[in-house]
């Protein structure tokens, strides 16, 4: 009979042997499972594809693709192949990661078959034209300085490294509807817009469209896009104009940065001569923005409203305020006031009224209204001049600047304000106007 120490040693040896046998049994089971999974994978994808997938044709191992049935061992590939399964999981596609050829093959890979047919019938590495469809059409790339563009086919992305694109670009499509005699402008997007405010790196852009000379009083404006320098609009606008009249008109797109409490800051503008563009081909125009002339604001700005009452034959002009008026004489303070003059076809002065003067003010506030009697027969040829002057008790009052309103005036803001007022009677429409050098000179 064994002693207690010998019995304990025998028990320990038996336990160690049992554990060792269990471990060896688990290893055998795992190995058999792996072999079974490999065999199942080969039969699942078919003989040729199964052998290819088992061959380890993956770029991370530097192993190339070997033709089925080849006895040659896999050779290292310079480019490799990457397999990705499509959405239905019925085929595999190979795309090379290098090389100059479309398939990414090199001289070393040309000795073996690079593409393998899978269940869907597609070849690995082959290009499918349906995945690379491109919208055909004419693209006009127009710089900011001229109205002539470079024409080419296909899709275009502007060159951002040129000086002319520093303010951004507008992209739109032109067309013409002969059934309704309408010019169609499809505003697509704007890119790389630059904010006028250096304190922020984004803009709240919208685009105003107009024809010059104007054809109606309707204001065409895109929706407002918040906090973006590359807005997408996708809006179409119509201009009723005869096809033969396009040659004498220009299309103007003004990109502005929205400001809730002040004048909208102009980001840039683009103008195209419609006579030099074949709108029937529905071209896509990529126009570079040019800066808006900021000198027009050097004399200051004036805010006033217009209201027309056709039944009462009254035209009311409410002068609200001015800002950033130009200091004419540095030796004396400014005492500005506003003078409103009604002109009929520029043949003579009809009526003239003035506001009170504000002492020592470069940003005066008036809030004064003036009413004029205007008959319907005089309305068509009527124009209004609103001027800001500096009152001088010892001499003539010097003109700081003025703005002209009417159907055929040169001032864009004055023409727009007047046409909107006539088109919307019994409504008071207010607008900021930049003051320009007055043609009437000093006040009498």
């Amino acid at each position: 009979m064994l002693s207690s120490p010998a019995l304990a040693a025998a028990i320990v040896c038996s336990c160690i042997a049992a554990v060792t046998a269990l471990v060896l049994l688990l290893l055998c089971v795992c190995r058999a499972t792996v072999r079974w999974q490999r065999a199942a994978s080969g039969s699942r994808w078919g003989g040729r594809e199964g052998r290819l997938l088992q061959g380890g044709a993956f770029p991370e191992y530097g192993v190339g693709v070997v033709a089925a049935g080849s006895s040659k061992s896999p050779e290292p590939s310079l480019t490799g192949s990457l397999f990705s399964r499509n959405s239905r999981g019925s085929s595999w596609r190979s795309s090379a990661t290098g090389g100059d050829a479309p398939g990414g093959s090199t001289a070393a890979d040309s000795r073996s078959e690079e593409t393998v047919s899978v269940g869907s019938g597609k070849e690995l590495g082959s290009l499918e034209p349906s995945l690379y469809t491109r919208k055909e059409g004419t693209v006009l790339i127009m710089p900011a300085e001229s109205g002539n563009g470079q024409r080419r086919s296909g899709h275009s992305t502007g060159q951002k490294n040129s000086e002319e694109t520093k303010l951004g670009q507008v992209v739109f499509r032109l067309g013409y509807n002969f059934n309704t005699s309408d010019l169609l402008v499809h505003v697509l997007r704007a890119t790389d817009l630059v904010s006028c405010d250096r304190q922020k790196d984004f803009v709240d852009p919208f685009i105003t469209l107009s024809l010059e000379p104007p054809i109606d009083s309707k204001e065409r404006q895109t929706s407002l896009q918040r906090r973006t320098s590359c807005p997408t609009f996708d809006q179409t606008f119509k201009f009723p104009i005869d096809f033969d009249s396009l040659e004498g008109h220009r299309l103007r797109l003004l990109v502005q940065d929205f400001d809730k409490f002040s004048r909208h800051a102009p980001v840039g503008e683009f103008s195209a001569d419609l006579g030099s563009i074949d709108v029937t081909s529905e071209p896509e125009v990529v126009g570079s923005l040019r800066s808006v002339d900021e000198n027009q604001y050097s004399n200051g700005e004036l805010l006033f409203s217009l209201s027309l009452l056709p039944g009462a034959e009254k035209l009311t002009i409410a002068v609200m305020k001015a800002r950033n008026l130009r200091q004419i004489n540095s030796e004396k303070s400014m005492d500005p006031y506003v003078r409103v003059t009604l002109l009929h076809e520029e043949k003579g002065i009809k009526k003239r009224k003035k506001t009170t003067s504000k002492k020592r003010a470069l940003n005066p506030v008036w809030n004064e209204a003036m009413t004029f009697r205007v008959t319907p027969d005089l309305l068509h040829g009527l124009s209004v001049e609103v001027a800001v002057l500096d009152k001088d008790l010892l001499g003539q009052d010097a003109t700081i600047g003025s703005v002209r309103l009417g159907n055929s005036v040169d001032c864009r803001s004055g023409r727009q304000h007047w046409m909107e007022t006539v088109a919307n009677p019994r409504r008071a429409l207010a607008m900021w106007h930049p003051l320009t050098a007055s043609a009437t000179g000093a006040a009498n």
Side-chain angles (χ1 to χ4, degrees):
M1 188 172 182
L2 297 176
S3 62
S4 297
L7 180 60
I11 294 174
V12 170
C13 293
S14 301
C15 292
I16 293 176
V19 171
T20 303
L22 181 61
V23 171
L24 293 176
L25 179 61
L26 292 176
L27 291 177
C28 293
V29 172
C30 293
R31 186 173 182 181
T33 303
V34 171
R35 290 182 177 179
W36 177 82
Q37 289 180 348
R38 289 181 178 179
S41 176
S43 60
R44 178 181 180 182
W45 293 106
R48 184 177 182 181
E49 293 81 1
R51 288 191 298 273
L52 175 63
L53 294 178
Q54 294 178 29
F58 297 98
E60 56 267 32
Y61 296 108
V63 180
V65 180
V66 181
S70 175
S71 59
K72 184 186 301 184
S73 60
E75 298 180 0
S77 173
L78 298 178
T79 58
S81 299
L82 178 64
F83 290 88
S84 60
R85 195 173 183 181
N86 63 7
S87 58
R88 295 186 178 181
S90 60
S91 63
W92 292 76
R93 184 178 57 197
S94 171
S95 58
T97 60
D100 297 332
S105 60
T106 59
D109 298 328
S110 61
R111 292 172 296 177
S112 60
E113 184 178 349
E114 287 290 332
T115 59
V116 180
S117 299
V118 191
S120 62
K122 301 292 182 180
E123 291 186 346
L124 299 178
S126 61
L127 296 178
E128 299 185 17
S130 60
L131 300 178
Y132 303 92
T133 57
R134 306 181 70 179
K135 183 182 294 184
E136 297 297 333
T138 303
V139 175
L140 301 177
I141 302 179
M142 292 190 170
E145 293 78 11
S146 64
N148 297 326
Q150 300 173 353
R151 179 174 299 182
R152 66 180 182 178
S153 298
H155 184 68
S156 171
T157 56
Q159 298 179 356
K160 302 179 182 178
N161 57 348
S162 61
E163 183 70 16
E164 64 192 25
T165 61
K166 61 181 180 180
L167 295 179
Q169 293 178 320
V170 289
V171 184
F172 58 95
R173 188 178 299 277
L174 294 175
Y176 191 85
N177 189 338
F178 288 93
N179 295 328
T180 60
S181 297
D182 289 332
L183 172 68
L184 305 179
V185 182
H186 184 193
V187 182
L188 299 174
R189 61 189 177 276
T191 59
D192 302 325
L193 299 181
V194 179
S195 174
C196 300
D197 188 357
R198 295 182 179 180
Q199 297 181 353
K200 63 178 185 178
D201 55 355
F202 61 88
V203 294
D204 297 327
F206 67 95
I207 301 179
T208 303
L209 298 86
S210 61
L211 288 184
E212 297 179 353
I215 58 174
D216 55 21
S217 59
K218 183 179 180 181
E219 180 182 3
R220 295 165 176 85
Q221 179 178 301
T222 66
S223 59
L224 177 64
Q225 304 295 322
R226 295 286 187 178
R227 302 176 67 87
T228 177
S229 298
C230 298
T232 299
F233 299 101
D234 194 17
Q235 294 179 258
T236 302
F237 301 89
K238 298 180 181 180
F239 292 88
I241 181 174
D242 294 335
F243 183 79
D244 296 335
S245 302
L246 291 177
E247 187 174 357
H249 287 78
R250 297 184 65 88
L251 175 64
R252 179 176 181 264
L253 288 84
L254 175 63
V255 182
Q256 302 183 73
D257 187 4
F258 176 79
D259 193 332
K260 183 178 180 180
F261 303 102
S262 181
R263 177 180 60 87
H264 305 316
V267 177
E269 64 178 355
F270 174 76
S271 180
D273 183 11
L274 296 177
S276 61
I277 301 176
D278 182 14
V279 298
T280 59
S281 63
E282 298 184 358
E284 181 176 304
V285 181
V286 181
S288 300
L289 298 177
R290 64 178 178 87
S291 60
V292 180
D293 185 13
E294 292 293 338
N295 292 328
Q296 59 180 325
Y297 305 105
S298 60
N299 295 323
E301 296 175 273
L302 180 64
L303 175 64
F304 60 89
S305 67
L306 292 181
S307 177
L308 179 63
L309 299 176
E313 298 181 351
K314 289 184 178 181
L315 175 65
T316 302
I317 302 176
V319 181
M320 301 176 183
K321 59 183 177 180
R323 62 185 177 189
N324 302 326
L325 295 180
R326 176 173 55 92
Q327 182 80 34
I328 297 179
N329 190 352
S330 59
E331 298 179 357
K332 64 179 291 291
S333 60
M334 290 271 291
D335 300 330
Y337 69 93
V338 177
R339 183 190 67 191
V340 180
T341 306
L342 262 66
L343 304 173
H344 183 263
E345 298 179 350
E346 299 183 354
K347 294 180 180 179
I349 297 176
K350 301 295 295 183
K351 289 184 179 181
R352 174 177 290 177
K353 294 186 178 182
K354 305 176 182 178
T355 66
T356 58
S357 61
K358 300 298 179 180
K359 301 295 184 180
R360 297 180 295 276
L362 294 178
N363 299 279
V365 177
W366 289 283
N367 288 329
E368 300 181 26
M370 310 174 194
T371 302
F372 299 88
R373 184 175 181 269
V374 178
T375 58
D377 58 322
L378 297 178
L379 186 62
H380 179 70
L382 191 68
S383 62
V384 180
E385 183 186 57
V386 184
V388 180
L389 301 96
D390 182 18
K391 190 173 183 60
D392 192 342
L393 298 178
L394 302 179
Q396 288 184 329
D397 298 340
T399 303
I400 301 173
S402 65
V403 58
R404 183 72 65 86
L405 294 88
N407 285 322
S408 58
V409 297
D410 296 332
C411 178
R412 184 181 296 111
S413 64
R415 183 174 62 247
Q416 178 184 358
H417 197 178
W418 179 261
M419 297 176 71
E420 290 182 3
T421 301
V422 174
N424 300 276
R426 296 176 295 277
R427 288 182 56 188
L429 301 177
M431 184 180 295
W432 281 101
H433 294 271
L435 298 174
T436 58
S438 177
T440 58
N444 294 329

